[in-house]
PDB file of all heavy atoms in Angstrom:
ATOM      1  N   MET B  37      -1.361  -5.751   9.454  1.00 98.00           N
ATOM      2  CA  MET B  37      -2.420  -6.533   8.792  1.00 98.00           C
ATOM      3  C   MET B  37      -2.335  -8.002   9.224  1.00 98.00           C
ATOM      4  O   MET B  37      -3.350  -8.640   9.537  1.00 98.00           O
ATOM      5  CB  MET B  37      -2.294  -6.399   7.273  1.00 98.00           C
ATOM      6  CG  MET B  37      -2.660  -5.007   6.757  1.00 98.00           C
ATOM      7  SD  MET B  37      -2.037  -4.665   5.090  1.00 98.00           S
ATOM      8  CE  MET B  37      -3.027  -5.765   4.102  1.00 98.00           C
ATOM      9  N   ALA B  38      -1.107  -8.519   9.276  1.00 98.00           N
ATOM     10  CA  ALA B  38      -0.905  -9.905   9.715  1.00 98.00           C
ATOM     11  C   ALA B  38      -1.331 -10.063  11.178  1.00 98.00           C
ATOM     12  O   ALA B  38      -1.929 -11.076  11.556  1.00 98.00           O
ATOM     13  CB  ALA B  38       0.562 -10.296   9.531  1.00 98.00           C
ATOM     14  N   ARG B  39      -1.027  -9.057  11.978  1.00 98.00           N
ATOM     15  CA  ARG B  39      -1.412  -9.090  13.400  1.00 98.00           C
ATOM     16  C   ARG B  39      -2.935  -9.223  13.531  1.00 98.00           C
ATOM     17  O   ARG B  39      -3.441 -10.002  14.349  1.00 98.00           O
ATOM     18  CB  ARG B  39      -0.943  -7.782  14.053  1.00 98.00           C
ATOM     19  CG  ARG B  39      -0.737  -7.886  15.548  1.00 98.00           C
ATOM     20  CD  ARG B  39      -0.456  -6.504  16.136  1.00 98.00           C
ATOM     21  NE  ARG B  39       0.811  -5.926  15.742  1.00 98.00           N
ATOM     22  CZ  ARG B  39       0.991  -4.655  15.343  1.00 98.00           C
ATOM     23  NH1 ARG B  39      -0.020  -3.816  15.274  1.00 98.00           N
ATOM     24  NH2 ARG B  39       2.190  -4.213  15.013  1.00 98.00           N
ATOM     25  N   ASN B  40      -3.661  -8.490  12.701  1.00 98.00           N
ATOM     26  CA  ASN B  40      -5.133  -8.556  12.770  1.00 98.00           C
ATOM     27  C   ASN B  40      -5.653  -9.934  12.367  1.00 98.00           C
ATOM     28  O   ASN B  40      -6.668 -10.398  12.899  1.00 98.00           O
ATOM     29  CB  ASN B  40      -5.755  -7.467  11.892  1.00 98.00           C
ATOM     30  CG  ASN B  40      -5.603  -6.100  12.530  1.00 98.00           C
ATOM     31  OD1 ASN B  40      -5.524  -5.998  13.754  1.00 98.00           O
ATOM     32  ND2 ASN B  40      -5.555  -5.050  11.722  1.00 98.00           N
ATOM     33  N   LEU B  41      -4.948 -10.598  11.445  1.00 98.00           N
ATOM     34  CA  LEU B  41      -5.363 -11.961  11.061  1.00 98.00           C
ATOM     35  C   LEU B  41      -5.162 -12.929  12.225  1.00 98.00           C
ATOM     36  O   LEU B  41      -6.016 -13.779  12.486  1.00 98.00           O
ATOM     37  CB  LEU B  41      -4.552 -12.424   9.838  1.00 98.00           C
ATOM     38  CG  LEU B  41      -4.950 -11.776   8.506  1.00 98.00           C
ATOM     39  CD1 LEU B  41      -3.881 -12.029   7.444  1.00 98.00           C
ATOM     40  CD2 LEU B  41      -6.301 -12.312   8.029  1.00 98.00           C
ATOM     41  N   ILE B  42      -4.031 -12.778  12.930  1.00 98.00           N
ATOM     42  CA  ILE B  42      -3.791 -13.647  14.102  1.00 98.00           C
ATOM     43  C   ILE B  42      -4.864 -13.379  15.159  1.00 98.00           C
ATOM     44  O   ILE B  42      -5.449 -14.310  15.720  1.00 98.00           O
ATOM     45  CB  ILE B  42      -2.388 -13.391  14.699  1.00 98.00           C
ATOM     46  CG1 ILE B  42      -1.300 -13.766  13.697  1.00 98.00           C
ATOM     47  CG2 ILE B  42      -2.204 -14.203  15.999  1.00 98.00           C
ATOM     48  CD1 ILE B  42       0.115 -13.461  14.169  1.00 98.00           C
ATOM     49  N   ALA B  44      -7.774 -12.438  14.738  1.00 98.00           N
ATOM     50  CA  ALA B  44      -9.075 -12.972  14.301  1.00 98.00           C
ATOM     51  C   ALA B  44      -9.100 -14.502  14.369  1.00 98.00           C
ATOM     52  O   ALA B  44     -10.122 -15.117  14.052  1.00 98.00           O
ATOM     53  CB  ALA B  44      -9.372 -12.506  12.876  1.00 98.00           C
ATOM     54  N   TYR B  46      -6.925 -16.745  12.740  1.00 98.00           N
ATOM     55  CA  TYR B  46      -6.399 -17.516  11.603  1.00 98.00           C
ATOM     56  C   TYR B  46      -5.002 -18.048  11.919  1.00 98.00           C
ATOM     57  O   TYR B  46      -4.145 -17.292  12.375  1.00 98.00           O
ATOM     58  CB  TYR B  46      -6.313 -16.643  10.339  1.00 98.00           C
ATOM     59  CG  TYR B  46      -7.652 -16.377   9.712  1.00 98.00           C
ATOM     60  CD1 TYR B  46      -8.280 -15.143   9.885  1.00 98.00           C
ATOM     61  CD2 TYR B  46      -8.297 -17.343   8.957  1.00 98.00           C
ATOM     62  CE1 TYR B  46      -9.527 -14.889   9.317  1.00 98.00           C
ATOM     63  CE2 TYR B  46      -9.543 -17.105   8.390  1.00 98.00           C
ATOM     64  CZ  TYR B  46     -10.143 -15.875   8.567  1.00 98.00           C
ATOM     65  OH  TYR B  46     -11.370 -15.634   8.015  1.00 98.00           O
ATOM     66  N   THR B 174     -11.193  -8.980   8.047  1.00 98.00           N
ATOM     67  CA  THR B 174     -10.465  -8.823   9.314  1.00 98.00           C
ATOM     68  C   THR B 174      -9.450  -7.683   9.227  1.00 98.00           C
ATOM     69  O   THR B 174      -8.936  -7.230  10.234  1.00 98.00           O
ATOM     70  CB  THR B 174      -9.714 -10.121   9.708  1.00 98.00           C
ATOM     71  OG1 THR B 174      -8.693 -10.356   8.759  1.00 98.00           O
ATOM     72  CG2 THR B 174     -10.647 -11.307   9.764  1.00 98.00           C
TER      73      THR B 174
END
Side-chain angles (χ1 to χ4, degrees):
M37 290 162 69
R39 204 188 292 135
N40 286 332
L41 286 166
I42 296 176
Y46 286 103
T174 66

